[in-house]
Amino acid sequence: MSSARDPLHVTGEVLSVKRIGAYRHLTLVAPGVAERSRPGNFVAVSVGDLRPRSHQTRLSYWIHRVRNTGSHGATIEIIVEPRGAGSQWLTGLGQGSRVDLTGPLGRPFAQPKEPVSCLLVGEGHSAAPLFPLAERLRERGCVVSMLLAASDEQHLLAALEARRSARSVTVVTRDGSVGRSGRVADVLPELLAQVDADVAYAAGSVETLHAVAAAAEAHGAWSQVALELPQPCGTGLCNGCPLPVVGEDGVARIVRACHEGPVVRGDRVRWTALLEGA
Amino acid sequence: MDLGALTLNPPVLVASGCGGTGRELDALGGLAGLGAFVTRSITLDAREGGPAPRIVGTPSGLVNAVGLQNPGIDQFLARELPWLAAHDVPAIVSVAGSSIGEYADLGRRLGRSPGVAGIEVNLSVPDAAGLNIFDAREPFSAARVIAAVRRDLPRGMPVLAKLGPQSNRIGESARAVAEAGADAVVVTNAVPALMPDGRPGGLSGPAIGPLALRCVYEVRVALPDLPVIGVGGIACAADARAFLAAGASAVQIGTALLHDPTTAVRIAAELGGDPS
Ligand SMILES: Cc1cc2nc3c(=O)[nH]c(=O)nc-3n(C[C@H](O)[C@H](O)[C@H](O)COP(=O)(O)OP(=O)(O)OC[C@H]3O[C@@H](n4cnc5c(N)ncnc54)[C@H](O)[C@@H]3O)c2cc1C
Ligand code: FES
């Protein structure tokens, strides 16, 4: 039977769809989902008209913010980058549209018990779950620094907002349109040393997460990486999201990214196997 | 619906490979009140499964090449079965083997394990050869597998034979497995298909609904007294009723659970636990 910690499958309602840069910012009423969510959780959205539905696979989105609106209760916000058929359908929904979703899902970020120094690294839309994390860490007395990365300014998420939640914010873009020019890996070792990070939290492409895990290890810090591998169901049912890891027992195995992840310790991921798509 | 010692009430089951370990569905309220939970196919040894991507969406369906990832029978019995056995829903264990001997071994182990309500023998893995699974497409081969599983099982333990979608020979296969000791047939499995990158896979979902329905009908016509469990593209109560009308005694819900994990319980509630 389900308990207060379990995810829910609900029919939500779109309250608003706003454009921010290359992304769409959706606010959804999803009863019960907001109340249960923790930083690093995601929702899995059923794509297409409610019935009949031609799209059988689902799409996952990080829970960006949870807000308590007076009139609609707690709402969730997600940041969607319109790409293929599914995300375009979702971002094309009008106010008041209904959407089936399940959440909160997955293992959230593990938070330190002590007030430590944390570096949060977010790339593109994947920076979404780092904002609520930054707030939680600050409440615990942690020193929070952020590194936001993107291909260009259009794909940079909420740098202004980051300055409110973090002590220092560094921005890198590949084309140099804003902040420093380069990639995460270029500035990471220097930044980890500068803020003397005890923990690195990261969300982005597999290559970026690999770079963060490696740099954190070299610096002597823990890393927590939030993976975005394709998740056909997002709920642990289909075994469609293989993630090669080394278990606590030292044994190499394949786990489900959506269920045993999507946030995992960086030193547990078998990066070579993952990058090769094994 | 009764199968030996097992009653499937309501006649709505979770299809193999689409319900995780059972715990995930339960956490979403999608397990209690179902007729039975069918596990993903368990093999003798653990299998890592195929590389990513394992599942791609297609219009009204999906193609999967999961590759029978499972922890192997020992880990399954130690870690997953006890949880299922402690819950309200009967556990039917799906098995697949690379030889007749392996199927027999799996049957023997499961027959001795408390908490197993029945065995579903997967005779229709879409890519049997590539996965080194015994190719049981020929009715004669399917019957040998069923006889091997049946041999050492306790009397009342039901054996379900899951047949592939070759509707031209499905009546013949059903007759062969029934004579070999199957209590019911499950029709049908995913349809052999190809992933976009050329790897073999299986197509499932609403796209195969009418094909599965035809398979149910063919078996019903050939063997009016053999219980048939229909599976393939069932996404709502109306779909389930169409299968029951075509001659199925029960239905399994698979792909639809991936986009809505509550589909099976909703259909069960709408059918009102009444098989007619
Ligand atoms: C944990 C996690 C968190 C994520 N968070 C975010 C986030 O915050 N923001 C964000 O932008 N992205 C996020 N993503 C990525 C997101 O889930 C999608 O992968 C991304 O939006 C791409 O969507 P799409 O429209 O291109 O997919 P689609 O084009 O809809 O493709 C997805 C699937 O649908 C199938 N498909 C495609 N076309 C059809 C069709 N016509 N009929 C049937 N099936 C079809 C494809 O084969 C594929 O399997 C996250 C992913 C994960 C795993
Ligand atoms: S996406 Fe289905 S198990 Fe992870």
Side-chain angles (χ1 to χ4, degrees):
Chain A
M1 286 309 296
S2 56
S3 77
R5 295 296 289 276
D6 289 335
L8 297 170
H9 182 77
V10 298
T11 299
E13 187 192 324
V14 178
L15 269 193
S16 68
V17 183
K18 279 184 264 175
R19 180 193 285 267
I20 31 172
Y23 306 128
R24 302 292 182 279
H25 175 284
L26 275 75
T27 303
L28 304 164
V29 182
V33 175
E35 291 82 344
R36 295 168 188 227
S37 87
R38 288 185 285 167
N41 282 143
F42 65 93
V43 290
V45 178
S46 307
V47 178
D49 297 331
L50 286 182
R51 231 161 259 114
R53 202 183 322 260
S54 65
H55 228 80
Q56 300 296 301
T57 50
R58 309 174 85 194
L59 296 177
S60 299
Y61 294 97
W62 299 114
I63 298 174
H64 176 47
R65 285 208 179 281
V66 166
R67 239 186 267 272
N68 222 321
T69 68
S71 42
H72 295 94
T75 58
I76 58 166
E77 297 172 23
I78 59 175
I79 306 287
V80 180
E81 181 168 8
R83 284 184 273 176
S87 48
Q88 282 176 20
W89 172 83
L90 184 59
T91 53
L93 291 177
Q95 189 184 349
S97 303
R98 287 147 75 81
V99 52
D100 275 359
L101 59 90
T102 315
L105 292 163
R107 280 203 189 173
F109 290 109
Q111 296 171 36
K113 296 195 176 60
E114 310 285 315
V116 296
S117 172
C118 304
L119 178 64
L120 278 51
V121 184
E123 180 184 41
H125 67 249
S126 310
L130 299 180
F131 293 84
L133 175 67
E135 277 166 27
R136 287 292 172 84
L137 292 170
R138 271 203 337 182
E139 284 164 18
R140 290 175 172 229
C142 294
V143 177
V144 177
S145 310
M146 283 182 110
L147 168 58
L148 293 177
S151 51
D152 53 37
E153 188 170 8
Q154 287 290 300
H155 292 85
L156 190 74
L157 198 64
L160 272 179
E161 219 181 316
R163 295 194 206 285
R164 281 199 294 272
S165 343
R167 176 171 299 186
S168 75
V169 179
T170 308
V171 169
V172 285
T173 50
R174 242 171 290 158
D175 68 350
S177 51
V178 54
R180 287 164 70 170
S181 168
R183 291 166 186 264
V184 165
D186 304 331
V187 297
L188 205 54
E190 172 196 330
L191 208 54
L192 282 164
Q194 197 181 315
V195 304
D196 195 16
D198 301 294
V199 189
Y201 292 95
S205 64
V206 172
E207 289 78 9
T208 296
L209 298 182
H210 182 204
V212 172
E217 198 162 337
H219 176 73
W222 293 107
S223 64
Q224 291 261 323
V225 297
L227 287 149
E228 279 187 24
L229 304 175
Q231 294 185 169
C233 76
T235 47
L237 300 181
C238 74
N239 258 324
C241 53
L243 170 62
V245 296
V246 177
E248 302 269 339
D249 51 8
V251 178
R253 56 171 67 90
I254 304 281
V255 298
R256 293 165 295 183
C258 71
H259 200 256
E260 283 81 17
V263 178
V264 291
R265 258 171 56 180
D267 59 331
R268 291 254 175 259
V269 178
R270 290 190 277 140
W271 293 103
T272 315
L274 185 61
L275 288 160
E276 282 166 2
Chain B
M1 171 195 185
D2 288 323
L3 283 180
L6 172 66
T7 300
L8 300 175
N9 181 33
V12 179
L13 290 70
V14 171
S16 179
C18 300
T21 63
R23 292 179 200 226
E24 304 81 12
L25 257 192
D26 191 52
L28 284 158
L31 197 56
L34 293 183
F37 177 82
V38 184
T39 69
R40 62 202 187 291
S41 291
I42 306 295
T43 51
L44 214 48
D45 297 322
R47 280 176 177 253
E48 283 217 330
R54 290 178 167 187
I55 295 182
V56 296
T58 63
S60 290
L62 53 85
V63 182
N64 91 78
V66 170
L68 295 183
Q69 181 180 355
N70 81 94
I73 188 76
D74 290 336
Q75 289 292 316
F76 170 77
L77 291 176
R79 297 204 174 165
E80 293 181 20
L81 184 62
W83 185 91
L84 286 168
H87 285 73
D88 284 345
V89 64
I92 296 179
V93 182
S94 168
V95 293
S98 58
S99 64
I100 303 255
E102 267 190 38
Y103 275 105
D105 216 3
L106 286 160
R108 204 172 308 120
R109 305 277 287 276
L110 290 167
R112 286 200 301 257
S113 303
V116 177
I119 298 181
E120 181 177 287
V121 185
N122 189 347
L123 300 169
S124 44
V125 179
D127 175 32
L131 295 170
N132 188 26
I133 288 295
F134 183 78
D135 188 348
R137 271 175 305 177
E138 286 299 316
F140 171 71
S141 307
R144 281 176 65 207
V145 172
I146 293 297
V149 171
R150 178 87 270 174
R151 196 169 305 133
D152 294 321
L153 284 186
R155 272 195 166 274
M157 165 92 65
V159 172
L160 285 54
K162 187 164 180 179
L163 303 176
Q166 304 89 322
S167 69
N168 55 333
R169 300 194 71 181
I170 203 155
E172 203 186 324
S173 293
R175 187 181 306 281
V177 295
E179 283 170 1
D183 300 278
V185 291
V186 180
V187 283
T188 187
N189 209 321
V191 178
L194 218 54
M195 299 280 281
D197 63 8
R199 285 177 296 149
L203 175 68
S204 64
I208 71 160
L211 175 74
L213 198 58
R214 174 65 185 257
C215 291
V216 168
Y217 169 80
E218 295 278 340
V219 176
R220 175 53 63 242
V221 169
L223 298 151
D225 298 325
L226 181 68
V228 183
I229 299 175
V231 48
I234 300 173
C236 62
D239 296 338
R241 285 196 192 96
F243 274 76
L244 298 175
S249 314
V251 293
Q252 293 185 352
I253 313 299
T255 301
L257 291 169
L258 308 190
H259 75 239
D260 177 349
T262 62
T263 310
V265 279
R266 273 197 294 105
I267 292 176
E270 280 186 53
L271 295 185
D274 179 359
S276 60

